[in-house]
Amino acid sequence: MPKSLKTSIKHALLTGGLLSSGLAFHANAASPQADIIFTNANLYQAPSSQAIVVHQGRFVFIGDTQAAMQYQGEHTETIDLEGAFVMPGFVDNHNHIFEAASDVGGNCELGMDASLEEQIPFLEYCRKQAKDKSWIMGYGFTLENILNEDNNRTPLAVLDSIFPDQPVVLMEQTSHSMWVNSMALKKAGITLDTPQPQGGRILRDEETGELNGILLDNAGDLVMEMAWNGVKDKFNQSYEGLMNGLDEARSHGITTVGDGRLYWKRGWLDVWQEAEQNGDLTARVSLRPWIYPTEPMKPQLAFLKDIQSKEKTARLVIDQVKMYSDGIFVNGTAKTLAPYLATYIEDSPYGLNYIPEGQMENWLTELDKIGYGAHIHAIGDGAIRESLNAVEHARKMKSQRDYTLTHVELVNSKDIPRFKALDVTADFQVGSDYVAEHDHSWAEAFLGKVRARSLMQVNRLYQAGANISLSSDWNVHDINPLVGIANSLLMDKSGLPDIDTAIAAYTINPAKSLGLADEIGTIEVGKSADLVVLDKDITNLKPENIPNAQVLMTVLQGEIIFDIDDEE
């Protein structure tokens, strides 16, 4: 961008000159020639503007068509949007874009609703498809179905009967538990005498006391990491998976992704950097390196300092980490303030911590020193309180970093106002039907009716002034932002109050969470030219019809990364 243009934009920003009628440049130099001029746009929150001018990846004019044509040059591309609805590119604050579309971690697909014995045909098919004796990795089972009290065999015995001489690790659909066989346990060095790892549990059969093949949370993560690193041609398969994930994102109007977690010991960073170098990144991505709870802090901090990238205009930004405070309710591993009614880990009736409060305080303090904020998984009311306590400690130590708690499923009333007070974003995933219907009956067995009815109180946090973002956690929920926007409005009293608030939760609010609000999240002169074009004005639709709107075009930094006409 020419220096004179940057100066003009800066002056306009300081003087409030970004009006819907556009920003005209009256410097001595002529107005820059546009790369693209979009005309006949139905521009969100700017009804008097029909044209958008893009130059060198940024919005340089927003206003009427006649004025926009002053930027037309010999090489300008003019695109008639024919009245289509234009809004800021979606910002998905929590998306496992790397994992969700990769075959590396999923060459064996199970039946989500199948019982233990009903999984046998799926497992036998996976056995037939196996080309060698290397690791079998899969996903898709449901913990409660394979740990049913009516089972005659343990999950370990079933898996061993089909895979007696090949290591197997199968991820439960939420990714918070693993089903493994004896070969996998042997390779991981897990025996009856193995201490319980921080943030995880090695389960045993209630009757015999023997290992039953189920590893909860971090206990399973450790085995999965070993398996992932044992895959042949890991890099190329990972790269292909990333490209598949990026394709899904751009086709749904997503221009910025907050990475769900970067398991950097699996070689994932190399894949991202190669994609950036090759010009294959079709999203701006805030990578969030994983904090390993069982590994020492010092070498992790050294690695994080070495890879940090804070250039806000780049497509890869690395200045936040991902850490877990707790697990999930259905495993009994989410940390709660009151004990579970039923749990798989009876010696821990309040759940568990990946990273306890005291350790998290130390982590946030040390991370602040090297320029990192944090995106913190916190589901139970105990984990949320502990995480807020840790952030409060960081704030007292003068940290100004960006902090987000994601999932935020059960919040104690006393902690709701602390989100605003501590400047902590609350990131929710509402992309499933049961969330939209506010039906959390699944949780009653674990938490009781009172706590189950208190889950997912998006509106209470919004009314308390918290910065609310919505995200997909894909592929746990639908990647389509329009589904999340619609569901947040269908949640009745527990959801968001109106369409503008819901749109903000998928655009400018997550931009704030990522520390990128000056760069993205709104269509304003001077910001990155990120936008999505829809065939319908979603502000005029009933909530249930919003997901039917179709993405026609996605633009990132002035580059058209998706055009529906090119896909046909």
Side-chain angles (χ1 to χ4, degrees):
M1 182 183 294
K3 185 175 180 180
S4 60
L5 178 56
K6 286 185 178 180
T7 303
S8 298
I9 292 173
K10 182 177 180 181
H11 174 74
L13 288 167
L14 292 173
T15 59
L18 304 184
L19 304 177
S20 60
S21 58
L23 173 60
F25 296 97
H26 297 296
N28 293 331
S31 298
Q33 291 188 2
D35 297 316
I36 304 177
I37 299 177
F38 294 99
T39 63
N40 292 323
N42 174 13
L43 186 58
Y44 174 60
Q45 291 189 326
S48 62
S49 300
Q50 307 83 38
I52 304 168
V53 179
V54 177
H55 176 70
Q56 293 187 357
R58 297 195 168 268
F59 298 120
V60 297
F61 177 86
I62 301 165
D64 64 76
T65 302
Q66 183 177 358
M69 288 307 163
Q70 297 177 21
Y71 295 85
Q72 189 171 33
E74 182 180 355
H75 302 291
T76 300
E77 180 180 9
T78 302
I79 298 177
D80 186 345
L81 295 179
E82 301 178 351
F85 184 64
V86 180
M87 58 184 295
F90 294 120
V91 182
D92 192 341
N93 199 13
H94 184 139
N95 185 317
H96 297 278
I97 193 169
F98 189 101
E99 301 166 80
S102 175
D103 289 337
V104 180
N107 51 21
C108 176
E109 186 172 355
L110 304 182
M112 185 177 70
D113 297 320
S115 67
L116 179 60
E117 298 295 331
E118 288 170 346
Q119 296 288 5
I120 291 176
F122 294 97
L123 296 169
E124 289 178 337
Y125 178 79
C126 295
R127 173 76 179 191
K128 291 177 182 178
Q129 297 301 308
K131 295 183 175 64
D132 52 39
K133 298 296 183 181
S134 61
W135 280 89
I136 293 287
M137 291 190 287
Y139 64 95
F141 71 91
T142 302
L143 191 60
E144 63 179 349
N145 288 341
I146 69 164
L147 285 181
N148 191 291
E149 60 184 10
D150 295 330
N151 292 340
N152 295 319
R153 296 189 289 174
T154 66
L156 180 65
V158 170
L159 211 52
D160 281 349
S161 69
I162 301 170
F163 299 94
D165 55 0
Q166 186 171 16
V168 180
V169 55
L170 306 171
M171 180 185 292
E172 194 257 349
Q173 58 170 333
T174 66
S175 84
H176 281 264
S177 62
M178 305 292 170
W179 178 11
V180 300
N181 68 347
S182 293
M183 281 291 292
L185 291 171
K186 182 178 180 180
K187 283 184 173 291
I190 296 175
T191 70
L192 279 172
D193 298 323
T194 300
Q196 298 289 3
Q198 180 171 310
R201 283 293 185 273
I202 303 166
L203 295 191
R204 302 185 182 206
D205 183 73
E206 292 182 359
E207 294 183 2
T208 66
E210 298 294 318
L211 300 182
N212 69 2
I214 298 300
L215 307 175
L216 300 184
D217 283 273
N218 193 44
D221 294 342
L222 297 171
V223 178
M224 179 59 79
E225 183 144 296
M226 178 181 295
W228 193 291
N229 286 327
V231 172
K232 295 180 180 178
D233 196 29
K234 176 180 65 175
F235 182 91
N236 289 328
Q237 288 189 64
S238 297
Y239 198 95
E240 182 179 357
L242 175 57
M243 293 302 104
N244 292 337
L246 289 168
D247 284 347
E248 284 291 324
R250 66 188 178 91
S251 69
H252 286 96
I254 298 168
T255 53
T256 298
V257 170
D259 176 44
R261 58 192 171 207
L262 177 75
Y263 285 124
W264 44 277
K265 290 192 174 185
R266 302 182 190 181
W268 291 8
L269 179 60
D270 296 338
V271 180
W272 281 106
Q273 290 176 331
E274 181 74 10
E276 181 184 37
Q277 185 175 340
N278 293 344
D280 288 341
L281 281 184
T282 53
R284 176 189 296 99
V285 181
S286 175
L287 286 181
R288 293 175 175 135
W290 175 250
I291 297 299
Y292 288 85
T294 57
E295 297 292 322
M297 179 185 291
K298 188 174 180 179
Q300 293 193 71
L301 289 172
F303 173 80
L304 293 170
K305 185 175 182 180
D306 184 58
I307 68 169
Q308 187 178 45
S309 173
K310 296 178 70 69
E311 177 51 60
K312 302 299 186 182
T313 61
R315 292 198 180 180
L316 276 188
V317 179
I318 309 176
D319 65 355
Q320 294 185 0
V321 300
K322 176 64 179 292
M323 61 173 66
Y324 276 22
S325 173
D326 65 347
I328 59 175
F329 288 125
V330 294
N331 284 4
T333 54
K335 188 71 176 294
T336 57
L337 293 174
Y340 283 86
L341 301 184
T343 176
Y344 296 111
I345 48 175
E346 294 183 358
D347 63 332
S348 299
Y350 295 87
L352 54 76
N353 287 116
Y354 273 67
I355 301 178
E357 180 181 331
Q359 289 184 18
M360 189 176 290
E361 288 181 359
N362 292 337
W363 269 110
L364 296 184
T365 300
E366 296 304 312
L367 286 166
D368 175 55
K369 293 176 182 178
I370 61 172
Y372 276 87
H375 190 83
I376 303 169
H377 169 116
I379 284 184
D381 49 2
I384 290 168
R385 175 166 294 177
E386 292 169 354
S387 298
L388 290 172
N389 289 346
V391 173
E392 183 173 20
H393 174 81
R395 294 297 189 213
K396 289 179 179 178
M397 300 298 290
K398 308 302 182 184
S399 172
Q400 300 297 314
R401 306 298 172 191
D402 297 300
Y403 298 114
T404 297
L405 300 192
T406 186
H407 305 309
V408 198
E409 293 185 11
L410 180 64
V411 189
N412 186 276
S413 296
K414 294 179 180 179
D415 292 316
I416 288 176
R418 299 180 70 196
F419 280 81
K420 179 181 180 181
L422 295 172
D423 191 19
V424 175
T425 295
D427 177 52
F428 291 92
Q429 295 81 41
V430 299
S432 294
D433 290 343
Y434 74 89
V435 179
E437 296 164 3
H438 203 63
D439 177 13
H440 300 289
S441 56
W442 59 269
E444 291 180 9
F446 309 103
L447 303 174
K449 289 186 178 180
V450 174
R451 284 188 289 178
R453 291 172 182 169
S454 300
L455 294 173
M456 301 298 289
Q457 294 294 330
V458 181
N459 188 264
R460 290 188 67 190
L461 279 141
Y462 168 75
Q463 295 296 339
N467 183 52
I468 302 295
S469 71
L470 298 176
S471 61
S472 68
D473 197 12
W474 185 57
N475 58 0
V476 176
H477 296 268
D478 197 319
I479 193 174
N480 186 358
L482 297 175
V483 172
I485 288 172
N487 282 3
S488 74
L489 301 174
L490 292 168
M491 292 170 64
D492 196 26
K493 295 179 181 180
S494 61
L496 294 176
D498 55 63
I499 183 63
D500 292 324
T501 305
I503 289 174
Y506 243 116
T507 53
I508 187 60
N509 293 358
K512 294 174 182 175
S513 168
L514 293 167
L516 295 171
D518 292 338
E519 183 73 11
I520 62 172
T522 56
I523 298 176
E524 293 183 59
V525 170
K527 283 192 171 185
S528 178
D530 300 356
L531 56 83
V532 57
V533 182
L534 303 176
D535 68 341
K536 297 180 179 66
D537 183 345
I538 63 173
T539 65
N540 294 327
L541 298 178
K542 294 181 179 179
E544 58 267 26
N545 293 330
I546 289 174
N548 297 328
Q550 189 171 35
V551 174
L552 303 178
M553 182 180 293
T554 308
V555 179
L556 169 66
Q557 295 178 326
E559 176 189 351
I560 298 173
I561 57 173
F562 174 80
D563 186 335
I564 196 169
D565 291 336
D566 295 338
E567 305 297 317
E568 297 176 350

